[in-house]
Amino acid sequence: MLLALPVADPSPAPSADCRTDAWCKNVWDLTGSAWFAEGSYWIVLKPLRVALILLLAIAARWALHRTINRLVRTTTEGAVPTMLRPLRERIPSATLDPEQFMPERRRQRAEAIGSVLRSMVTAFVFGIALLMVLKEFSFDLAPLLASAGIAGVALGFGAQSLVKDLIAGLFMLIEDQYGVGDNVDLGEATGVVESVGLRVTTVRDGRGVLWYIRNGEIVRVGNKSQGWALVVVDMPVGFAGTEEATAVLRTAAASVALDPGLAPQIVEEPEVLGVEQITVDGAVIRTVVKTTADGQFAVGRELRRRLAEALENSGITARIAAARLYPGAPTLPPASGGTGTAGAT
Protein backbone atom coordinates (compact mmCIF):
# COMPACT_ATOMS: atom_id res chain seq x y z
CA MET A 1 0.00 0.00 0.00
CA LEU A 2 1.43 3.28 -1.09
CA LEU A 3 1.21 6.25 1.27
CA ALA A 4 0.40 9.64 -0.23
CA LEU A 5 3.25 12.07 0.40
CA PRO A 6 2.40 15.72 1.06
CA VAL A 7 3.02 17.89 -1.93
CA ALA A 8 4.78 21.20 -1.25
CA ASP A 9 2.84 24.27 -2.15
CA PRO A 10 4.64 25.76 -5.13
CA SER A 11 3.43 29.22 -4.18
CA PRO A 12 3.37 29.74 -0.41
CA ALA A 13 1.46 32.72 0.93
CA PRO A 14 3.43 35.78 2.06
CA SER A 15 3.73 36.74 5.71
CA ALA A 16 0.89 38.23 7.68
CA ASP A 17 2.47 41.68 7.60
CA CYS A 18 2.66 41.54 3.84
CA ARG A 19 -0.90 40.27 3.47
CA THR A 20 -2.27 43.14 5.55
CA ASP A 21 -0.47 45.75 3.40
CA ALA A 22 -2.31 46.91 0.29
CA TRP A 23 0.89 47.23 -1.80
CA CYS A 24 2.16 43.73 -0.96
CA LYS A 25 -1.25 42.15 -1.45
CA ASN A 26 -1.66 43.77 -4.88
CA VAL A 27 1.81 42.61 -5.98
CA TRP A 28 1.01 39.06 -4.80
CA ASP A 29 -2.32 39.09 -6.64
CA LEU A 30 -0.67 40.34 -9.84
CA THR A 31 2.40 38.09 -9.86
CA GLY A 32 1.29 35.15 -7.76
CA SER A 33 4.80 35.06 -6.30
CA ALA A 34 5.05 35.31 -2.54
CA TRP A 35 8.82 35.91 -2.48
CA PHE A 36 8.53 38.72 -5.05
CA ALA A 37 5.75 40.35 -3.02
CA GLU A 38 7.79 39.96 0.20
CA GLY A 39 10.92 41.30 -1.48
CA SER A 40 9.20 44.37 -2.89
CA TYR A 41 7.58 44.94 0.48
CA TRP A 42 10.79 44.87 2.56
CA ILE A 43 13.31 46.12 -0.01
CA VAL A 44 11.31 48.79 -1.82
CA LEU A 45 8.23 49.81 0.16
CA LYS A 46 9.65 49.87 3.69
CA PRO A 47 12.72 52.03 2.84
CA LEU A 48 10.51 54.39 0.86
CA ARG A 49 8.16 54.78 3.80
CA VAL A 50 11.04 55.38 6.22
CA ALA A 51 12.56 57.93 3.86
CA LEU A 52 9.18 59.65 3.47
CA ILE A 53 8.75 59.81 7.27
CA LEU A 54 12.21 61.34 7.70
CA LEU A 55 11.61 63.83 4.87
CA LEU A 56 8.28 64.88 6.39
CA ALA A 57 9.92 65.25 9.82
CA ILE A 58 12.71 67.41 8.38
CA ALA A 59 10.19 69.52 6.46
CA ALA A 60 7.99 69.95 9.55
CA ARG A 61 11.02 70.90 11.66
CA TRP A 62 12.16 73.40 9.04
CA ALA A 63 8.72 75.00 8.79
CA LEU A 64 8.34 75.28 12.58
CA HIS A 65 11.86 76.64 13.01
CA ARG A 66 11.21 79.23 10.31
CA THR A 67 8.02 80.31 12.08
CA ILE A 68 9.89 80.64 15.38
CA ASN A 69 12.72 82.58 13.71
CA ARG A 70 10.20 84.92 12.13
CA LEU A 71 8.62 85.54 15.53
CA VAL A 72 12.05 86.27 17.00
CA ARG A 73 12.94 88.60 14.13
CA THR A 74 9.61 90.40 14.40
CA THR A 75 10.12 90.84 18.13
CA THR A 76 13.61 92.24 17.59
CA GLU A 77 12.36 94.75 15.02
CA GLY A 78 9.77 96.11 17.44
CA ALA A 79 6.44 94.61 16.31
CA VAL A 80 6.05 92.27 19.26
CA PRO A 81 3.47 89.47 19.19
CA THR A 82 1.22 89.27 22.23
CA MET A 83 2.72 85.93 23.28
CA LEU A 84 6.23 87.39 23.46
CA ARG A 85 5.22 90.81 24.75
CA PRO A 86 6.42 91.56 28.31
CA LEU A 87 3.68 91.57 30.93
CA ARG A 88 4.25 95.23 31.81
CA GLU A 89 3.73 96.24 28.16
CA ARG A 90 0.31 94.55 28.11
CA ILE A 91 -0.88 96.85 30.91
CA PRO A 92 -0.94 100.49 29.73
CA SER A 93 -0.79 101.89 33.26
CA ALA A 94 2.25 99.83 34.21
CA THR A 95 4.68 102.18 32.50
CA LEU A 96 4.88 105.55 30.90
CA ASP A 97 6.02 104.53 27.46
CA PRO A 98 6.58 100.93 26.29
CA GLU A 99 9.06 102.18 23.71
CA GLN A 100 11.47 103.20 26.47
CA PHE A 101 12.67 99.63 26.95
CA MET A 102 16.00 98.69 25.42
CA PRO A 103 15.77 96.90 22.04
CA GLU A 104 18.91 94.90 22.85
CA ARG A 105 17.33 93.41 25.95
CA ARG A 106 14.20 92.55 23.98
CA ARG A 107 16.34 90.89 21.32
CA GLN A 108 18.23 88.79 23.87
CA ARG A 109 15.02 87.68 25.54
CA ALA A 110 13.40 86.78 22.21
CA GLU A 111 16.45 84.81 21.10
CA ALA A 112 16.54 82.88 24.39
CA ILE A 113 12.87 81.96 24.08
CA GLY A 114 13.37 81.08 20.42
CA SER A 115 16.27 78.77 21.26
CA VAL A 116 14.17 76.91 23.83
CA LEU A 117 11.22 76.61 21.43
CA ARG A 118 13.45 75.32 18.62
CA SER A 119 14.93 72.64 20.87
CA MET A 120 11.47 71.55 22.01
CA VAL A 121 10.19 71.41 18.43
CA THR A 122 13.18 69.34 17.29
CA ALA A 123 12.77 66.82 20.13
CA PHE A 124 9.01 66.54 19.58
CA VAL A 125 9.11 66.15 15.78
CA PHE A 126 11.96 63.63 15.65
CA GLY A 127 10.54 61.73 18.61
CA ILE A 128 7.31 61.13 16.70
CA ALA A 129 9.29 60.26 13.56
CA LEU A 130 11.33 57.68 15.49
CA LEU A 131 8.18 56.00 16.79
CA MET A 132 6.73 55.86 13.27
CA VAL A 133 9.95 54.33 11.90
CA LEU A 134 9.98 51.68 14.63
CA LYS A 135 6.37 50.86 13.80
CA GLU A 136 7.33 50.36 10.16
CA PHE A 137 9.80 47.66 11.24
CA SER A 138 7.08 45.87 13.24
CA PHE A 139 8.33 46.88 16.68
CA ASP A 140 5.72 46.55 19.40
CA LEU A 141 5.43 50.11 20.69
CA ALA A 142 3.13 49.32 23.61
CA PRO A 143 5.88 48.00 25.94
CA LEU A 144 8.20 50.76 24.76
CA LEU A 145 5.68 53.48 25.52
CA ALA A 146 4.82 51.88 28.85
CA SER A 147 8.50 51.72 29.79
CA ALA A 148 8.98 55.33 28.71
CA GLY A 149 5.98 56.34 30.80
CA ILE A 150 7.36 54.58 33.87
CA ALA A 151 10.80 56.09 33.30
CA GLY A 152 9.22 59.51 32.87
CA VAL A 153 7.34 59.18 36.15
CA ALA A 154 10.51 58.07 37.92
CA LEU A 155 12.50 60.96 36.47
CA GLY A 156 9.66 63.33 37.31
CA PHE A 157 9.78 62.34 40.98
CA GLY A 158 13.57 62.32 41.08
CA ALA A 159 14.11 65.56 39.18
CA GLN A 160 10.95 67.48 40.00
CA SER A 161 12.93 70.41 41.39
CA LEU A 162 14.88 70.62 38.11
CA VAL A 163 11.67 70.55 36.06
CA LYS A 164 10.18 73.19 38.35
CA ASP A 165 13.24 75.42 37.88
CA LEU A 166 13.15 75.06 34.08
CA ILE A 167 9.43 75.82 33.81
CA ALA A 168 9.73 78.81 36.15
CA GLY A 169 12.72 80.10 34.15
CA LEU A 170 10.83 79.75 30.87
CA PHE A 171 7.84 81.71 32.13
CA MET A 172 10.18 84.29 33.65
CA LEU A 173 11.72 84.84 30.21
CA ILE A 174 8.36 84.98 28.47
CA GLU A 175 6.96 87.52 30.95
CA ASP A 176 10.25 89.46 31.13
CA GLN A 177 10.08 89.76 34.90
CA TYR A 178 13.72 90.90 35.08
CA GLY A 179 16.87 90.97 32.98
CA VAL A 180 20.60 91.48 33.21
CA GLY A 181 21.38 94.82 34.88
CA ASP A 182 18.05 95.14 36.71
CA ASN A 183 18.02 96.01 40.40
CA VAL A 184 15.73 93.39 41.94
CA ASP A 185 14.50 92.14 45.29
CA LEU A 186 14.08 88.35 45.23
CA GLY A 187 13.46 87.90 48.94
CA GLU A 188 16.68 86.64 50.48
CA ALA A 189 18.82 88.27 47.80
CA THR A 190 18.64 91.90 46.73
CA GLY A 191 20.95 93.44 44.17
CA VAL A 192 21.82 93.67 40.49
CA VAL A 193 21.08 90.74 38.14
CA GLU A 194 24.29 89.53 36.48
CA SER A 195 23.00 86.54 34.52
CA VAL A 196 19.66 84.91 33.76
CA GLY A 197 19.29 81.24 32.82
CA LEU A 198 16.50 78.71 32.54
CA ARG A 199 17.53 77.10 35.84
CA VAL A 200 19.56 79.65 37.85
CA THR A 201 19.60 83.43 38.22
CA THR A 202 22.68 85.15 39.68
CA VAL A 203 22.37 88.38 41.69
CA ARG A 204 25.19 90.46 43.18
CA ASP A 205 24.16 92.34 46.32
CA GLY A 206 25.45 95.65 47.66
CA ARG A 207 28.32 93.96 49.53
CA GLY A 208 29.62 92.22 46.42
CA VAL A 209 28.27 88.75 47.30
CA LEU A 210 27.14 86.77 44.24
CA TRP A 211 23.94 84.83 44.91
CA TYR A 212 22.89 81.81 42.83
CA ILE A 213 19.12 81.47 43.02
CA ARG A 214 17.13 78.61 41.50
CA ASN A 215 14.23 79.94 39.47
CA GLY A 216 11.82 77.49 41.07
CA GLU A 217 12.57 78.95 44.50
CA ILE A 218 11.71 82.53 43.49
CA VAL A 219 8.27 83.25 44.92
CA ARG A 220 8.15 87.00 44.31
CA VAL A 221 10.14 89.52 42.32
CA GLY A 222 10.47 93.21 43.11
CA ASN A 223 12.02 94.95 40.10
CA LYS A 224 13.32 98.47 40.74
CA SER A 225 14.48 99.02 37.16
CA GLN A 226 11.27 98.81 35.14
CA GLY A 227 9.30 101.86 34.09
CA TRP A 228 9.45 104.67 36.65
CA ALA A 229 10.22 104.96 40.35
CA LEU A 230 8.77 107.05 43.17
CA VAL A 231 11.14 108.63 45.69
CA VAL A 232 9.47 109.25 49.06
CA VAL A 233 11.17 111.44 51.66
CA ASP A 234 9.68 112.02 55.13
CA MET A 235 11.21 114.98 56.95
CA PRO A 236 10.51 115.67 60.66
CA VAL A 237 9.82 119.34 61.36
CA GLY A 238 9.08 119.12 65.05
CA PHE A 239 6.38 121.41 66.37
CA ALA A 240 7.25 124.24 64.02
CA GLY A 241 4.51 125.74 61.91
CA THR A 242 3.57 123.23 59.23
CA GLU A 243 2.79 125.99 56.73
CA GLU A 244 6.22 127.49 57.18
CA ALA A 245 7.94 124.09 56.94
CA THR A 246 5.90 123.12 53.88
CA ALA A 247 6.87 126.32 52.08
CA VAL A 248 10.56 125.78 52.88
CA LEU A 249 10.47 122.16 51.68
CA ARG A 250 8.55 123.08 48.53
CA THR A 251 11.17 125.65 47.56
CA ALA A 252 14.01 123.17 48.16
CA ALA A 253 12.24 120.42 46.20
CA ALA A 254 11.62 122.74 43.26
CA SER A 255 15.33 123.53 43.09
CA VAL A 256 16.06 119.84 42.51
CA ALA A 257 13.84 119.81 39.42
CA LEU A 258 15.72 122.85 38.07
CA ASP A 259 19.11 121.16 38.39
CA PRO A 260 20.32 120.53 34.79
CA GLY A 261 22.15 117.39 35.88
CA LEU A 262 19.03 115.83 37.44
CA ALA A 263 16.23 117.22 35.27
CA PRO A 264 16.46 114.44 32.59
CA GLN A 265 15.94 111.84 35.31
CA ILE A 266 12.82 113.49 36.78
CA VAL A 267 9.53 112.42 35.23
CA GLU A 268 7.24 114.65 37.31
CA GLU A 269 8.18 117.65 39.43
CA PRO A 270 8.59 117.06 43.18
CA GLU A 271 5.47 117.55 45.27
CA VAL A 272 5.20 118.26 48.99
CA LEU A 273 2.12 116.34 50.08
CA GLY A 274 1.89 117.74 53.60
CA VAL A 275 1.81 116.26 57.09
CA GLU A 276 2.11 112.48 56.84
CA GLN A 277 2.09 111.62 60.54
CA ILE A 278 2.42 113.02 64.05
CA THR A 279 5.04 111.60 66.40
CA VAL A 280 6.22 112.46 69.91
CA ASP A 281 8.83 114.72 68.27
CA GLY A 282 6.25 116.58 66.20
CA ALA A 283 4.99 116.49 62.63
CA VAL A 284 6.51 114.64 59.67
CA ILE A 285 6.02 116.11 56.20
CA ARG A 286 6.22 113.90 53.11
CA THR A 287 7.78 114.90 49.77
CA VAL A 288 7.55 112.71 46.67
CA VAL A 289 9.06 112.85 43.18
CA LYS A 290 8.58 110.50 40.23
CA THR A 291 11.83 109.61 38.47
CA THR A 292 13.19 107.22 35.90
CA ALA A 293 14.17 103.77 37.13
CA ASP A 294 17.89 104.49 36.77
CA GLY A 295 17.78 107.94 38.31
CA GLN A 296 15.85 107.22 41.48
CA PHE A 297 18.92 106.86 43.71
CA ALA A 298 20.75 109.98 42.52
CA VAL A 299 17.61 112.11 42.66
CA GLY A 300 16.66 110.70 46.06
CA ARG A 301 20.06 111.48 47.60
CA GLU A 302 20.11 115.02 46.23
CA LEU A 303 16.51 115.65 47.32
CA ARG A 304 17.24 114.54 50.89
CA ARG A 305 20.35 116.71 51.02
CA ARG A 306 18.57 119.84 49.84
CA LEU A 307 15.58 119.31 52.11
CA ALA A 308 17.86 118.89 55.11
CA GLU A 309 19.85 122.02 54.21
CA ALA A 310 16.68 124.02 53.70
CA LEU A 311 15.37 123.08 57.14
CA GLU A 312 18.72 123.92 58.69
CA ASN A 313 19.01 127.29 56.94
CA SER A 314 15.48 128.25 57.91
CA GLY A 315 16.16 127.57 61.60
CA ILE A 316 13.61 124.74 61.89
CA THR A 317 16.32 122.16 62.61
CA ALA A 318 17.62 124.22 65.55
CA ARG A 319 14.13 124.50 67.00
CA ILE A 320 13.71 120.72 66.73
CA ALA A 321 16.98 120.19 68.61
CA ALA A 322 15.98 122.74 71.27
CA ALA A 323 12.62 121.09 71.77
CA ARG A 324 14.34 117.77 72.34
CA LEU A 325 16.81 119.36 74.78
CA TYR A 326 14.11 121.19 76.75
CA PRO A 327 10.94 119.08 76.45
CA GLY A 328 7.82 121.10 76.95
CA ALA A 329 9.54 124.44 76.43
CA PRO A 330 7.85 126.78 73.97
CA THR A 331 9.69 127.21 70.72
CA LEU A 332 10.42 130.73 69.58
CA PRO A 333 10.37 131.92 66.00
CA PRO A 334 13.82 132.40 64.44
CA ALA A 335 15.47 135.73 65.03
CA SER A 336 16.18 137.92 62.06
CA GLY A 337 19.35 136.69 60.36
CA GLY A 338 19.89 133.87 62.89
CA THR A 339 18.52 130.63 64.11
CA GLY A 340 15.70 130.16 66.56
CA THR A 341 16.19 129.30 70.26
CA ALA A 342 14.05 127.69 72.90
CA GLY A 343 13.11 129.41 76.06
CA ALA A 344 14.69 127.98 79.19
CA THR A 345 12.60 127.14 82.19
Side-chain angles (χ1 to χ4, degrees), residues 241-254 272 285 307 310-311 314 316:
T242 56
E243 293 295 333
E244 175 192 358
T246 300
V248 170
L249 295 177
R250 184 174 290 115
T251 302
V272 180
I285 297 180
L307 293 181
L311 292 178
S314 65
I316 296 177

Side-chain angles (χ1 to χ4, degrees), residues 236-246 248 275 278 281-285 311 314-320 323 331-334:
V237 297
F239 293 97
T242 56
E243 293 295 333
E244 175 192 358
T246 300
V248 170
V275 178
I278 299 294
D281 293 326
V284 176
I285 297 180
L311 292 178
S314 65
I316 296 177
T317 301
R319 280 180 276 171
I320 297 175
T331 57
L332 300 178

Side-chain angles (χ1 to χ4, degrees), residues 93-300:
S93 61
T95 183
L96 297 176
D97 185 5
E99 298 301 327
Q100 292 178 352
F101 299 107
M102 297 176 58
E104 179 64 20
R105 171 172 168 172
R106 175 179 291 174
R107 183 190 64 80
Q108 293 176 357
R109 184 178 64 91
E111 289 182 354
I113 297 174
S115 176
V116 174
L117 292 178
R118 284 192 294 268
S119 299
M120 294 174 60
V121 164
T122 300
F124 180 75
V125 170
F126 283 108
I128 294 179
L130 177 61
L131 293 178
M132 296 178 67
V133 170
L134 291 178
K135 184 178 179 181
E136 288 296 325
F137 289 101
S138 301
F139 279 91
D140 191 1
L141 298 180
L144 180 62
L145 295 177
S147 301
I150 296 174
V153 172
L155 289 176
F157 279 108
Q160 54 183 336
S161 61
L162 176 61
V163 176
K164 180 181 178 182
D165 295 340
L166 294 177
I167 295 177
L170 179 61
F171 277 98
M172 180 274 299
L173 285 175
I174 292 176
E175 296 173 357
D176 194 21
Q177 297 175 7
Y178 52 84
V180 176
D182 286 356
N183 194 337
V184 298
D185 181 356
L186 302 182
E188 294 294 331
T190 301
V192 179
V193 179
E194 290 203 348
S195 66
V196 177
L198 282 179
R199 194 182 73 87
V200 174
T201 296
T202 58
V203 175
R204 190 175 297 275
D205 64 12
R207 297 180 179 271
V209 180
L210 187 63
W211 295 82
Y212 293 85
I213 308 167
R214 289 167 38 203
N215 294 329
E217 299 297 324
I218 299 176
V219 180
R220 61 173 178 81
V221 177
N223 197 323
K224 303 176 184 179
S225 302
Q226 288 183 351
W228 50 267
L230 188 66
V231 177
V232 181
V233 180
D234 291 334
M235 297 297 295
V237 297
F239 293 97
T242 56
E243 293 295 333
E244 175 192 358
T246 300
V248 170
L249 295 177
R250 184 174 290 115
T251 302
S255 67
V256 177
L258 297 177
D259 190 331
L262 299 176
Q265 301 174 350
I266 297 177
V267 178
E268 295 181 4
E269 293 186 358
E271 181 180 1
V272 180
L273 301 181
V275 178
E276 179 65 21
Q277 58 180 331
I278 299 294
T279 66
V280 294
D281 293 326
V284 176
I285 297 180
R286 171 164 294 183
T287 304
V288 298
V289 56
K290 183 179 289 187
T291 68
T292 60
D294 297 334
Q296 56 180 313
F297 303 106
V299 173

